[in-house]
Amino acid sequence: MSDTEKKIADTKGQFLQAVSQGQRLTDAEWRNCRIVLTTERVALLGDDKRQISLTDIDRIADRFDVNQQSAGVSDYVALYVGEDVILVSASDHEAFETDFYRASLDGAIVLVQHPALKGGVVQSAEWTKGRLKVTDEALKLAMADGQAVVVDRADIGDLTVEEKQVSGEERTVIQVEHSEDDISVETHLAGEEFHATVLRTMLEESAEQNQADLDLSSTEKRVIMALHSGVSPFDIPNFVGIDVEKTEEIFDRLIELDVISVLRERTEVNLTTKGRRVAGERMGEQ
């Protein structure tokens, strides 16, 4: 281990080689191992030892079910390394995933455009450099212009990925929608291929977890749209045409579904990421 290399995690787990030199190994089996993660590599230490440099990883994924052995394990990360695919399952998968993101991204420099959109309006922000830091709750960016941008992983709404010209080069641009001071904003991120693939996987996973999968009535949707347009929660009964008791019932249900969050009073609420998504879908229907 070099002087600059730091250990991030040391845990028990297992690995399975799903593809070797481009060939799918349908008879592959899980092998118990010790997993050592550093800022430079993943070491799989068991009867068979394997060391994978982080910079050799082309991309990562959460599933690659090559056979029943792999399909039978609920949580693992698939590492694509050249013509190989190695599945790694740690005893605490969620903690290992975050540790992997930290090992791959902490301290990395990417290009950032923030805010690219604010309240749905295109801004004139220029691309600038930002240094990444990953925590359990957020992706943090220390910008060269002095800004500190925090993308709460539980607050990510829409996420799109496009190939664009940035600083004279064709780059993968990750466009992530989140909130800042209760206003919807978009932050655009572009970096080296390895950093881009890890960022994309981490943010897509968070966005999928935040997807609204709701069965809302037309009245509940009208309440969400009214809140989205700036109507005070106290004015909702008159604005929507329902009584106070019905309004309270709807607020209770939307709070339970995590579509709105309680602020100071029981009836003072604000749209969450799910709520903004419902509002966006509703606006698209009109």
Side-chain angles (χ1 to χ4, degrees), residues 29 31 36 79 86 97 109 111 118 148 240 242 247 259 262:
E29 296 182 347
R31 301 175 184 272
V36 179
L79 307 179
I86 302 98
E97 264 195 327
I109 304 297
L111 293 173
K118 186 171 184 178
V240 178
I242 55 179
T247 302
V259 174
V262 180

Side-chain angles (χ1 to χ4, degrees), residues 11 31 52 66 68 90 96 110 123 128 132 145 199 213 228 272 282:
T11 187
R31 301 175 184 272
I52 306 166
V66 69
Q68 288 298 318
F96 177 75
V110 296
Q123 305 295 294
T128 187
L132 298 172
D145 60 7
L199 268 173
D213 184 14
H228 185 68
T272 64
R282 184 67 173 172

Side-chain angles (χ1 to χ4, degrees), residues 214-226 236 239-242 246 250 253-254 278 282 285-286:
L214 309 171
D215 182 16
L216 299 176
S217 69
S218 59
T219 303
E220 288 167 339
K221 291 178 181 178
R222 285 164 57 205
V223 169
I224 289 172
M225 287 305 299
I236 289 294
F239 188 88
V240 178
I242 55 179
K246 180 63 175 178
I250 290 175
R253 172 168 155 76
L254 296 181
V278 173
R282 184 67 173 172
E285 294 172 359
Q286 296 177 350

Side-chain angles (χ1 to χ4, degrees), residues 119-175:
V121 179
V122 176
Q123 305 295 294
S124 59
E126 298 291 332
W127 287 95
T128 187
K129 291 181 179 179
R131 185 182 297 275
L132 298 172
K133 181 176 178 58
V134 176
T135 70
D136 290 343
E137 295 81 22
L139 173 67
K140 298 184 177 181
L141 297 150
M143 311 283 280
D145 60 7
Q147 289 187 83
V149 179
V150 178
V151 180
D152 186 341
R153 291 168 63 183
D155 185 47
I156 294 173
D158 288 333
L159 186 139
T160 57
V161 179
E162 297 181 0
E163 297 298 320
K164 290 185 176 182
Q165 283 284 328
V166 179
S167 299
E169 294 184 28
E170 187 79 7
R171 298 177 185 265
T172 299
V173 177
I174 302 166
Q175 302 170 147

Side-chain angles (χ1 to χ4, degrees), residues 81-276:
V81 186
E83 294 186 318
D84 296 348
V85 179
I86 302 98
L87 315 184
V88 180
S89 176
S91 55
D92 187 337
H93 175 72
E94 187 173 333
F96 177 75
E97 264 195 327
T98 297
D99 285 337
F100 181 85
Y101 297 146
R102 287 173 52 215
S104 303
L105 299 174
D106 274 7
I109 304 297
V110 296
L111 293 173
V112 185
Q113 188 181 37
H114 176 85
L117 276 74
K118 186 171 184 178
V121 179
V122 176
Q123 305 295 294
S124 59
E126 298 291 332
W127 287 95
T128 187
K129 291 181 179 179
R131 185 182 297 275
L132 298 172
K133 181 176 178 58
V134 176
T135 70
D136 290 343
E137 295 81 22
L139 173 67
K140 298 184 177 181
L141 297 150
M143 311 283 280
D145 60 7
Q147 289 187 83
V149 179
V150 178
V151 180
D152 186 341
R153 291 168 63 183
D155 185 47
I156 294 173
D158 288 333
L159 186 139
T160 57
V161 179
E162 297 181 0
E163 297 298 320
K164 290 185 176 182
Q165 283 284 328
V166 179
S167 299
E169 294 184 28
E170 187 79 7
R171 298 177 185 265
T172 299
V173 177
I174 302 166
Q175 302 170 147
V176 55
E177 186 269 335
H178 56 109
S179 63
E180 190 173 77
D181 299 325
D182 293 330
I183 298 174
S184 174
V185 299
E186 251 190 38
T187 300
H188 294 180
L189 306 165
E192 296 179 4
E193 185 175 356
F194 171 67
H195 296 142
T197 190
V198 177
L199 268 173
R200 176 177 183 172
T201 301
M202 181 182 75
L203 297 175
E204 280 183 338
E205 180 183 81
S206 297
E208 288 170 3
Q209 290 176 351
N210 299 332
Q211 289 280 348
D213 184 14
L214 309 171
D215 182 16
L216 299 176
S217 69
S218 59
T219 303
E220 288 167 339
K221 291 178 181 178
R222 285 164 57 205
V223 169
I224 289 172
M225 287 305 299
L227 292 170
H228 185 68
S229 63
V231 175
S232 167
F234 301 104
D235 295 332
I236 289 294
N238 288 333
F239 188 88
V240 178
I242 55 179
D243 60 34
V244 173
E245 184 177 349
K246 180 63 175 178
T247 302
E248 290 290 341
E249 289 178 3
I250 290 175
F251 282 167
D252 284 341
R253 172 168 155 76
L254 296 181
I255 289 167
E256 184 179 346
L257 293 172
D258 194 29
V259 174
I260 60 177
S261 57
V262 180
L263 295 180
R264 289 175 294 277
E265 300 293 337
R266 176 68 172 170
T267 50
E268 186 173 357
V269 296
N270 193 23
L271 288 178
T272 64
T273 299
K274 289 182 180 179
R276 294 196 305 272

